[in-house]
Amino acid sequence: MYQFDRREYDARMAWYRQARLGMFIHWGLYAIPARGEWVRSTEEMPESEYLRYFQEFSAPDYNPAGWVRAAKQAGMKYVILTAKHHDGFCLFDSRYTRFKSTNTPLGRDVVADFLQAARAEGLRAGLYYSLLDWHHPDYPHWGDANHPMRRHPECGNQGRSFERYLDYLHAQVEELCTNYGKLDLMWFDFSYGNLRGEAWRGAQLAEMVRTLQPGIILNNRLEVSGEGFGSLAAGHPTPCHGDFITPEQIIPPHGLQDALGQDLAWEACVTMNRHWGYCAADRFFKPASMLLRGLVECVSKGGNLLLNVGPDARGNLPPESLDCLNSMGRWMARNGASIYGCGRAGTDKPEYGRLTRNGAHLYVHIFENTLGPLPLPGLKREQIRSIRALATGAEVPISTSWVHSDYPDMVFADLGPDPQLPDPIDTVLEITLNEH
Ligand code: GLC
């Protein structure tokens, strides 16, 4: 029986803590109605209506290699695809259902194509699998908190066997862990009400996944959802504990610590607009500058950012998402050293930005220029071996100006006469510290 072991845990988490930035991909039939991946539930749409999309799903521009390339160019180190979302539609050739991509006009095993593409690009790859299932006849309908038919007493739950549903869920997860080669990560979604932990036969499920895919890492949603932290955080991990916490659409104000105050691994999952699945009317895209600074914020608090894209019904990433990924990629190509493998600096953040750190390298992220020399918080002059602009390698001198003579205990950097920062989104200084 699985038992938490700190050394094994740290070993399997090593790549993930290095990676810091990943891509989430939500794709399925819901791309056709284009009103987000919850459309069946929010509009309480009967299955018969939804099945039209199943018959139609052809995605003429389908090219998972393109999605994965966009992720890689943006500096992402891992990619996660929705193998099955709450609607129950499967992007893989499961033996246990007809409701799958291979039975649509598209006719492809999307999971297989995606994993192959990810491996070809050298990216780590994971799968999202929804614990909820609005297609399976044995999943609770009437009275469930989320099911599209929740308010239809005629869709009562007599004759539905949750045990049978769990057999299906376990069998599908077994397929995913058996038929597709090495998986780096499994992202379950989500627990609610009484459906959490052992209600999913969680220990058995997690044990199966960990046995079939040694070294895989799991998220925490067999126990919780975007709300809640789970048993690892509580300090007594159950066999179905997650390896990382999954705050959703928020960056935890202080990072996340367990009950003993130790830093936890976490990943903020964030949409570029306001939906996970493609939503044609949702124009509320966050600017690339906001997402990049958000990434820096995550890393400065010891976390990862999992940034979502929702390809449209033709299979294309929205142009706004592509633009954003391109901007991120340009920045990451020059400044990635301040992200990958970095974490908390151990010093309070400066007023003008954030700090990240990787061993003897401290990265000063300047979001906003200071009027006058730039104070370097928490540093003594003798600790500093060198300061370089990370993007160019250019030396940045320690300021010798008289203007900070009233602050003799502080060190200031001299960014030169130009009041405009070289990178208006985030100009990064790399400070190499003397090891003591
Ligand atoms: C949620 C939503 C879902 C989305 C997920 C991503 O729990 O139900 O649609 O896939 O979060 O974190």
Side-chain angles (χ1 to χ4, degrees):
M1 196 54 182
Y2 173 84
Q3 269 220 314
F4 180 76
D5 175 296
R6 179 62 64 179
R7 276 195 23 241
E8 284 170 20
Y9 173 77
D10 286 336
R12 69 176 176 266
M13 293 301 285
W15 73 263
Y16 180 80
R17 290 186 156 128
Q18 287 279 323
R20 292 305 186 211
L21 177 62
M23 177 185 273
F24 218 170
I25 304 173
H26 277 68
W27 198 52
L29 301 181
Y30 43 75
I32 302 176
R35 299 191 292 278
E37 78 290 353
W38 271 72
V39 61
R40 247 211 90 191
S41 175
T42 50
E43 299 181 11
E44 301 184 31
M45 189 187 288
E47 174 106 282
S48 56
E49 231 174 278
Y50 199 66
L51 287 177
R52 292 181 309 170
Y53 307 127
F54 175 63
Q55 275 129 30
E56 181 185 325
F57 193 65
S58 68
D61 300 334
Y62 173 75
N63 180 19
W67 305 340
V68 168
R69 217 173 305 120
K72 180 160 183 176
Q73 281 167 3
M76 290 157 163
K77 295 292 189 192
Y78 62 111
V79 283
I80 301 176
L81 172 73
T82 49
K84 181 191 91 170
H85 207 270
H86 307 333
D87 62 0
F89 177 66
C90 297
L91 289 179
F92 64 106
D93 191 12
S94 171
R95 285 173 55 196
Y96 304 102
T97 184
R98 293 204 63 261
F99 198 45
K100 56 184 176 181
S101 54
T102 44
N103 286 340
T104 64
L106 174 63
R108 301 290 312 176
D109 186 320
V110 183
V111 165
D113 293 341
F114 160 80
L115 290 173
Q116 196 189 4
R119 289 179 194 127
E121 294 289 350
L123 297 184
R124 298 273 183 168
L127 297 174
Y128 167 110
Y129 185 88
S130 172
L131 302 168
L132 288 70
D133 194 314
W134 300 331
H135 177 77
H136 199 284
D138 285 312
Y139 199 86
H141 287 43
W142 180 54
D144 177 71
N146 306 298
H147 198 283
M149 297 294 106
R150 59 191 169 272
R151 291 201 288 187
H152 291 250
E154 75 278 13
C155 297
N157 297 323
Q158 56 282 38
R160 302 191 199 283
S161 156
F162 196 64
E163 288 305 307
R164 221 158 37 208
Y165 171 66
L166 291 182
D167 292 343
Y168 172 80
L169 183 165
H170 283 231
Q172 283 206 320
V173 171
E174 182 175 11
E175 284 183 311
L176 291 172
C177 291
T178 310
N179 299 343
Y180 295 91
K182 183 170 159 34
L183 300 179
D184 295 299
L185 192 152
M186 188 66 96
W187 218 101
F188 290 111
D189 195 31
F190 59 89
S191 293
Y192 62 105
N194 297 327
L195 293 178
R196 53 183 75 240
E198 279 321 291
W200 306 114
R201 293 192 217 131
Q204 194 193 338
L205 186 64
E207 171 109 33
M208 174 180 71
V209 173
R210 292 195 194 280
T211 307
L212 292 173
Q213 292 283 344
I216 197 170
I217 66 180
L218 308 180
N219 75 340
N220 64 340
R221 294 197 181 179
L222 280 173
E223 296 185 313
V224 295
S225 67
E227 294 176 296
F229 304 114
S231 61
L232 182 65
H236 42 78
T238 69
C240 70
H241 76 82
D243 295 321
F244 60 95
I245 319 299
T246 54
E248 183 168 325
Q249 306 286 35
I250 188 166
I251 298 174
H254 306 290
L256 291 172
Q257 287 76 38
D258 68 13
L260 302 169
Q262 286 198 82
D263 281 342
L264 286 160
W266 57 269
E267 171 189 87
C269 51
V270 170
T271 51
M272 287 192 177
N273 55 359
R274 294 170 59 82
H275 291 82
W276 301 94
Y278 181 73
C279 181
D282 182 351
R283 317 306 307 159
F284 294 109
F285 281 88
K286 299 163 186 86
S289 56
M290 183 187 223
L291 293 169
L292 261 174
R293 289 174 176 186
L295 166 65
V296 171
E297 182 180 346
C298 288
V299 177
S300 77
K301 294 173 175 178
N304 287 17
L305 176 67
L306 183 65
L307 191 55
N308 182 72
V309 296
D312 66 19
R314 296 183 63 98
N316 293 309
L317 298 182
E320 295 89 341
S321 297
L322 280 173
D323 286 350
C324 178
L325 291 169
N326 285 333
S327 310
M328 293 184 79
R330 275 196 301 278
W331 187 90
M332 288 293 281
R334 288 181 164 249
N335 298 291
S338 67
I339 300 294
Y340 306 125
C342 292
R344 287 179 180 280
T347 316
D348 285 347
K349 77 180 176 78
E351 288 178 338
Y352 51 77
R354 304 273 169 185
L355 301 175
T356 59
R357 182 170 179 168
N358 188 352
H361 289 130
L362 177 70
Y363 297 98
V364 180
H365 297 261
I366 312 167
F367 294 169
E368 190 188 338
N369 207 354
T370 51
L371 198 161
L374 184 97
L376 299 173
L379 286 181
K380 302 241 172 302
R381 208 189 166 96
E382 58 276 15
Q383 290 177 276
I384 300 176
R385 176 174 300 175
S386 66
I387 310 178
R388 302 285 179 262
L390 181 58
T392 61
E395 176 167 34
V396 175
I398 291 180
S399 168
T400 53
S401 169
W402 67 269
V403 301
H404 47 73
S405 57
D406 289 333
Y407 313 98
D409 295 336
M410 290 176 69
V411 191
F412 293 77
D414 177 0
L415 299 186
D418 189 347
Q420 306 298 329
L421 289 166
D423 189 325
I425 299 179
D426 178 9
T427 297
V428 186
L429 305 183
E430 180 178 63
I431 302 185
T432 305
L433 303 169
N434 286 314
E435 316 261 20
H436 288 291

